[in-house]
């Protein structure tokens, strides 16, 4: 039986796993999540600086926030910043776990620590790309005349440009896989934010300027337009996940060619 035939045979199970956003370890060992392209380079080399950067930028953002501090987490940008902090933190913990002890026996499955990191990674990388795309492609063009989301231009670049650059660095330098079937993990995360905006609307919430919305393009007083924007955003989020998987596949293809690794590609995107 070919690999394609096997995939077709298990398609219902894959579909169910995709809808449930399940993580099922394939042939990759847990140690892969604490590895980089080179055995001589530890992921701590970039995960620790990313964690420190995220902690500094969160502090800077809170201190210089343009509205009441309790409104800080209204914005997806700040959610993405917190996700970068958590993703890098768990990435660091995975590296330390590898140094201290072996992860687990293969029969016991993938450790919870590694699974948690993998889910955070699957969400955070495409989320950073989406935030940059949404900000520069929508907010800066549609609402720049009326609302200034970036009173500090340097912080603006940190939040909406460097965030994607750092997650691209994590993606390119890491060695663990990205799966197409994990697309529902970022989409469910976006669904949580959607429900949050809806709950905030029904609670008569306002932005720091007194507007009855968080973003002008997500205004529940205009439900049709808002649903169109949210649908397009979800599609772009899925595309960002596909882009992430594609970059990971190219990364591992180049790695295989450069190292003459005969064991196969680590990032088989169609694995469950």
């Amino acid at each position: 039986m070919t690999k394609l035939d096997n995939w077709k045979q298990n398609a219902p199970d894959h579909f169910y796993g995709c809808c449930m956003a399940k993580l099922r370890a394939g042939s990759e060992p847990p140690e892969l999540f604490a590895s980089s392209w080179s055995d001589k380079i530890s992921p701590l080399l970039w995960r620790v600086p990313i964690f420190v950067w995220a902690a500094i930028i969160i502090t800077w953002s809170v201190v210089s926030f343009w509205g009441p501090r309790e409104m800080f987490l209204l914005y997806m940008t700040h959610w993405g910043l917190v996700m970068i902090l958590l993703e890098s933190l768990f990435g660091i913990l995975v590296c330390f776990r590898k140094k201290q002890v072996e992860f687990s026996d293969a029969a016991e499955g993938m450790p919870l620590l590694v699974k948690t990191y993998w889910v955070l990674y699957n969400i955070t990388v495409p989320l950073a790309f989406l935030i940059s795309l949404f900000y520069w492609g929508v907010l800066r063009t549609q609402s720049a005349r009326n609302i200034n989301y970036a009173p500090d231009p340097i912080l603006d670049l940190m939040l909406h440009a460097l965030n994607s650059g750092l997650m691209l660095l994590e993606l390119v330098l890491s060695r663990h896989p990205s799966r197409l079937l994990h697309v529902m993990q970022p989409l469910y995360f976006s669904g949580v934010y959607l429900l949050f905006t809806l709950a905030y609307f029904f609670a008569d919430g306002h932005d720091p300027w007194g507007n009855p919305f968080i973003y002008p393009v997500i205004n529940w007083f205009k439900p049709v337009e808002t649903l169109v924007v949210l649908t397009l955003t979800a599609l772009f989020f899925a595309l960002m996940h596909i882009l992430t998987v594609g970059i990971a596949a190219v990364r591992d293809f180049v790695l295989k060619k450069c190292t003459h690794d005969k064991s196969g590609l680590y990032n088989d995107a169609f694995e469950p």
Side-chain angles (χ1 to χ4, degrees):
M1 180 182 295
T2 65
K3 189 171 185 178
L4 180 60
D5 291 334
N6 183 63
W7 202 94
K8 289 180 178 178
Q9 181 178 342
N10 294 300
D13 184 46
H14 293 336
F15 178 76
Y16 173 77
C18 178
C19 291
M20 296 301 293
K22 293 175 62 178
L23 272 185
R24 292 182 293 176
S27 58
E28 68 282 344
E31 290 79 7
L32 203 60
F33 293 80
S35 302
S36 68
W37 272 34
S38 172
D39 293 334
K40 299 179 181 179
I41 300 176
S42 169
L44 291 173
L45 189 64
W46 65 85
R47 289 178 187 170
V48 171
I50 289 175
F51 174 79
V52 173
W53 174 88
I56 292 173
I57 298 303
I58 287 176
T59 304
W60 184 3
S61 299
V62 171
V63 170
S64 62
F65 185 58
W66 52 84
R69 299 286 167 76
E70 60 270 18
M71 290 186 174
F72 179 76
L73 287 177
L74 287 182
Y75 297 97
M76 178 63 84
T77 294
H78 297 150
W79 283 39
L81 195 56
V82 172
M83 290 297 291
I84 291 176
L85 183 75
L86 293 174
E87 189 271 348
S88 56
L89 173 61
F90 276 85
I92 292 169
L93 294 176
V94 167
C95 291
F96 279 120
R97 175 76 182 273
K98 178 186 177 183
K99 286 186 175 182
Q100 293 172 356
V101 292
E102 290 299 323
F103 276 101
S104 68
D105 190 302
E108 297 176 1
M110 185 172 288
L112 179 60
L113 177 64
V114 179
K115 288 184 178 181
T116 303
Y117 167 68
W118 199 2
V119 171
L120 290 170
Y121 172 88
N122 288 339
I123 295 172
T124 306
V125 175
L127 177 62
F129 297 160
L130 178 71
I131 286 171
S132 297
L133 179 68
F134 185 81
Y135 180 75
W136 297 106
V138 178
L139 291 182
R140 291 286 289 186
T141 58
Q142 296 296 324
S143 59
R145 298 177 184 176
N146 303 317
I147 299 176
N148 184 10
Y149 290 102
D152 188 318
I154 297 178
L155 183 59
D156 184 24
L157 292 175
M158 292 289 181
L159 291 172
H160 304 110
L162 190 56
N163 63 324
S164 292
L166 291 175
M167 287 299 95
L168 180 62
L169 186 72
E170 166 81 303
L171 171 60
V172 171
L173 295 182
S174 295
R175 202 170 182 179
H176 51 271
S178 295
R179 307 292 195 213
L180 285 174
L181 291 177
H182 293 162
V183 66
M184 296 308 298
Q185 293 172 15
L187 289 181
Y188 285 151
F189 179 84
S190 66
V192 171
Y193 186 75
L194 182 155
L195 292 176
F196 167 74
T197 64
L198 197 57
Y200 192 71
F201 168 76
F202 282 115
D204 197 27
H206 293 74
D207 72 356
W209 296 277
N211 299 307
F213 50 72
I214 298 175
Y215 293 109
V217 293
I218 304 178
N219 183 354
W220 288 106
F221 279 110
K222 302 176 181 179
V224 175
E225 291 90 336
T226 296
L227 288 174
V228 170
V229 170
L230 290 173
T231 301
L232 292 175
T233 301
L235 289 175
F236 274 107
F237 207 173
L239 286 175
M240 293 303 99
H241 177 76
I242 294 172
L243 175 64
T244 299
V245 173
I247 293 174
V250 172
R251 172 200 71 195
D252 291 334
F253 177 79
V254 172
L255 177 63
K256 181 182 178 182
K257 291 296 184 181
C258 292
T259 61
H260 304 289
D261 184 1
K262 303 301 182 181
S263 60
L265 298 181
Y266 286 113
N267 191 65
D268 188 339
F270 291 97
E271 285 290 330

